[in-house]
Amino acid sequence: MLKVQNLTKDFGKVIAVDNVSFEVKKGEIFGLLGENGAGKTTTLRILATMLKPTSGTAEILGFDVVKNPEKVRLHIGILFGGEAGLYDRLTAAENIAYFGELNDMGKDEINERVKFLAKTFGMEEYIDRRAGKFSKGMKQKVAFARSIIHNPDLMLLDEPTSGLDVSAIRDVHDFILNCKNQGKTVIFSSHTMSEVEKLCDRVCIIHKGKLIDIATIDDLKKKHGDDDLEEIFVRLVGGKNEA
Ligand SMILES: Nc1ncnc2c1ncn2[C@@H]1O[C@H](COP(=O)(O)OP(=O)(O)OP(=O)(O)O)[C@@H](O)[C@H]1O
Ligand SMILES: [Mg+2]
């Protein structure tokens, strides 16, 4: 599904992603774990064809993200937190539907999907209200629904549950698990260990742009002789001032 080889991105002096390689199989839920500034968003932005790597390659379903970005975009849904970018004057439904149109979906197909997503994310009450005055969480749910309107094979989600309430988080978790059941692939970043443990088949721990470890949660626990993922994480990324 996805193959990343020696991926590197530097922003001048800052090496945000440093020679990272990994593969993700179809149907996997793959988590990116790392401290603030570790390079998670940068990695996801490269995979999402929003940013060119300095060197190295990434392929999604055999398509190179730099050489074939249009092909890649047909197969991915992307959600980046903090930049909901909804049209204030459009309703939630219209915001979501607009992305369907951009993805060449038919009207009936779009309507059906909007209904399904409104139900899935508990947005039915406000689906026909203008998005301008929505709360942060409401906006985030609309942005999530919008990013997956075209039912993509691979979802790239940057901190998808950050800022959501308990039941909304649960909706997102259930949705991600359902995607897996349908053979979809999900790559997401998170700072919440319980979320990562609940959802991920495998996790990748990144620190200062470098890949520190990549394994199933069980294997990580066995390998590091600890049952507490948070402990393992803190140990792996080391003290604050370590290189
Ligand atoms: N456009 C940019 N220009 C310059 N530096 C950048 C840019 N984008 C990211 N960086 C730098 O790259 C590094 C990695 O940032 P990134 O946003 O990928 O981290 P992150 O793992 O997503 O962190 P967080 O958990 O805080 O979201 C940081 O040092 C950041 O300052
Ligand atoms: Mg980030």
Side-chain angles (χ1 to χ4, degrees):
M1 166 60 66
L2 173 116
K3 189 172 188 176
V4 172
Q5 281 180 305
N6 306 108
L7 203 65
T8 298
K9 177 72 189 178
D10 65 53
F11 296 105
K13 276 185 190 157
V14 177
I15 304 177
V17 181
D18 193 353
N19 202 25
V20 165
S21 303
F22 61 87
E23 288 186 33
V24 179
K25 292 196 194 74
K26 181 180 182 302
E28 242 189 323
I29 303 179
F30 188 81
L32 295 177
L33 269 180
E35 295 179 310
N36 294 133
K40 303 177 297 295
T41 300
T42 306
T43 303
L44 287 169
R45 286 182 70 203
I46 295 170
L47 299 180
T49 75
M50 296 159 71
L51 188 70
K52 287 201 170 115
T54 309
S55 60
T57 58
E59 278 181 7
I60 289 171
L61 287 163
F63 298 112
D64 186 285
V65 294
V66 176
K67 291 182 197 146
N68 265 316
E70 299 85 9
K71 286 265 168 38
V72 168
R73 263 180 246 135
L74 288 176
H75 298 283
I76 61 173
I78 49 188
L79 178 73
F80 286 85
E83 35 179 288
L86 302 178
Y87 294 100
D88 287 354
R89 296 207 323 265
L90 297 187
T91 66
E94 288 164 348
N95 265 291
I96 300 166
Y98 177 59
F99 263 53
E101 286 166 29
L102 291 181
N103 279 285
D104 288 332
M105 291 170 69
K107 275 232 148 48
D108 291 347
E109 195 188 355
I110 290 176
N111 288 339
E112 218 167 276
R113 187 86 178 140
V114 168
K115 250 190 219 161
F116 167 78
L117 291 168
K119 191 159 184 255
T120 302
F121 293 117
M123 300 187 295
E124 283 159 315
E125 242 173 70
Y126 54 85
I127 194 74
D128 290 319
R129 267 170 54 194
R130 287 186 183 183
K133 297 282 188 307
F134 282 3
S135 74
K136 183 181 162 193
M138 287 159 81
K139 283 187 178 167
Q140 169 117 353
K141 287 205 239 180
V142 177
F144 199 134
R146 182 182 64 172
S147 75
I148 53 174
I149 174 84
H150 55 311
N151 203 9
D153 298 316
L154 169 67
M155 275 150 275
L156 302 170
L157 313 172
D158 194 22
E159 300 187 35
T161 57
S162 122
L164 295 184
D165 70 33
V166 177
S167 62
I169 289 176
R170 185 165 283 210
D171 290 342
V172 170
H173 287 176
D174 288 347
F175 175 80
I176 290 176
L177 290 168
N178 263 330
C179 284
K180 181 187 162 65
N181 288 337
Q182 291 166 24
K184 308 270 184 194
T185 312
V186 182
I187 303 180
F188 75 98
S189 66
S190 176
H191 290 291
T192 314
M193 296 298 156
S194 57
E195 167 170 289
V196 168
E197 281 202 80
K198 176 176 168 188
L199 299 178
C200 292
D201 296 305
R202 282 190 305 144
V203 292
C204 166
I205 296 174
I206 318 179
H207 186 51
K208 297 187 176 171
K210 289 197 170 71
L211 199 156
I212 301 284
D213 209 341
I214 185 166
T216 64
I217 310 261
D218 278 351
D219 281 350
L220 274 179
K221 288 180 174 175
K222 269 186 217 145
K223 199 154 114 186
H224 299 282
D226 203 320
D227 214 31
D228 185 340
L229 188 61
E230 185 174 305
E231 272 302 315
I232 296 170
F233 175 75
V234 170
R235 223 182 299 148
L236 281 177
V237 302
K240 283 272 171 276
N241 298 316
E242 260 174 55

